[in-house]
Amino acid sequence: MKTAFLFPGQGAQSVGMGKDLYAENKTYQETFDVLSEASGIDLKTACFDGEGMDKSSVVQPAIYTHSLALLSALGETADMVAGLSLGEYTALAAAGTLDKNRGAALVSRRGTIMDDAVPAGIGGMLSVLGLEIDAVEKLIEGQPDLWAANHLSATQIVLAGKVEAIERIEPVVTEAGAKTVLINASGPFHTPMLKAASESFKALLDKEEISQPNAIIYSNFTGHPYDENSDVRQLLANQMCSRVRWHDITERMIQAGVKRFVEIGPGMVLSKMLKRRIEDDTVTVTSIRDVKTLNRYLEAKGENR
């Protein structure tokens, strides 16, 4: 059965994530400790007590570490991997392309660079529900300082840009039939407003060793799998200031014949979106995020052997 692992991005975190796994699963605990040390941050205090989780420099390695520690406890590999925004780094580490330990420190620096890219209060993000991407693009056409930053599903798009642009467009998309939700984000991520930040981050990426993957990995920037000619470092830098094409990624996975999707990490955002999309009852979508869901998955796996 063709399997895809999906890794969540920033925004999926919650206080206490991984605490039960750390207490009950030795493999999770060992991986968590190694990555926490590599990040240079006390991620136990961050994940379990919420310390510093208002900073992307803490949130990003926290999610990355929790997801990879959970993957180690799962003890499985997949045919394909992908992650939303930050989750792309988790996917690269899961497939052996990015060194896991170096990745923990790298995503912390990524978080700092993203938070510092635009002064606080200048930029924002708005979730638009109920309209397709073509309709949204027509509504924002000609609007200054506003972009479609995340194409999450057929009818879920995130707009980002300057706060005044967000405030200007919200009644427009509402009038067109959409529901809107302001996102608690520290900046207009995945827009050209982070172009200078992406160039700064590229200098750090250039120092990272990139290895051949042991699974197919999808790029947020292109929506396609990486291939032997892909410049991984440049694509990751581009991702910071360009649209995330998550909808394209999941559609291509479905077309490629994936029959089992497993979201690994905090929250259930990715699996919920997929469940609304998939009509084929031979395709399963699972979320593994804590001791209960991990054990349930492992038990079902054992029963199906």
Side-chain angles (χ1 to χ4, degrees), residues 117-161:
V118 178
I122 299 296
M125 303 185 81
L126 179 74
S127 181
V128 177
L129 308 169
L131 295 177
E132 295 186 352
I133 187 67
D134 289 347
V136 172
E137 287 181 329
K138 286 180 181 178
L139 291 173
I140 68 172
E141 187 176 2
Q143 295 280 352
D145 304 317
L146 186 66
W147 298 269
N150 294 335
H151 186 193
L152 298 175
S153 72
T155 56
Q156 186 168 352
I157 292 96
V158 175
L159 300 179

Side-chain angles (χ1 to χ4, degrees), residues 18 20 30 62 67 69 71 131 149 171 184 218 226 228 230 241 251 284:
D20 57 346
E30 290 174 347
S67 299
L71 176 64
L131 295 177
N184 183 20
Y218 282 78
Y226 286 98
E228 64 274 10
S230 295
C241 60
E251 286 299 306
T284 63

Side-chain angles (χ1 to χ4, degrees), residues 73-152:
L74 181 62
E76 264 191 40
T77 58
D79 302 286
M80 303 178 186
V81 293
L84 178 65
S85 188
L86 160 72
E88 185 171 349
Y89 293 81
T90 316
L92 287 163
T97 296
L98 178 67
D99 179 82
K100 291 180 181 180
N101 292 358
R102 289 187 61 83
L106 181 67
V107 297
S108 179
R109 289 289 298 125
R110 178 179 184 265
T112 298
I113 289 171
M114 291 176 74
D115 276 350
D116 292 346
V118 178
I122 299 296
M125 303 185 81
L126 179 74
S127 181
V128 177
L129 308 169
L131 295 177
E132 295 186 352
I133 187 67
D134 289 347
V136 172
E137 287 181 329
K138 286 180 181 178
L139 291 173
I140 68 172
E141 187 176 2
Q143 295 280 352
D145 304 317
L146 186 66
W147 298 269
N150 294 335
H151 186 193
L152 298 175

Side-chain angles (χ1 to χ4, degrees), residues 1-4 253-254 257-261 280 282-285:
M1 181 184 296
K2 193 172 287 188
T3 299
M253 285 183 162
I254 292 169
V258 172
K259 291 295 185 181
R260 180 172 58 175
F261 290 92
D280 184 348
T282 67
V283 177
T284 63
V285 181

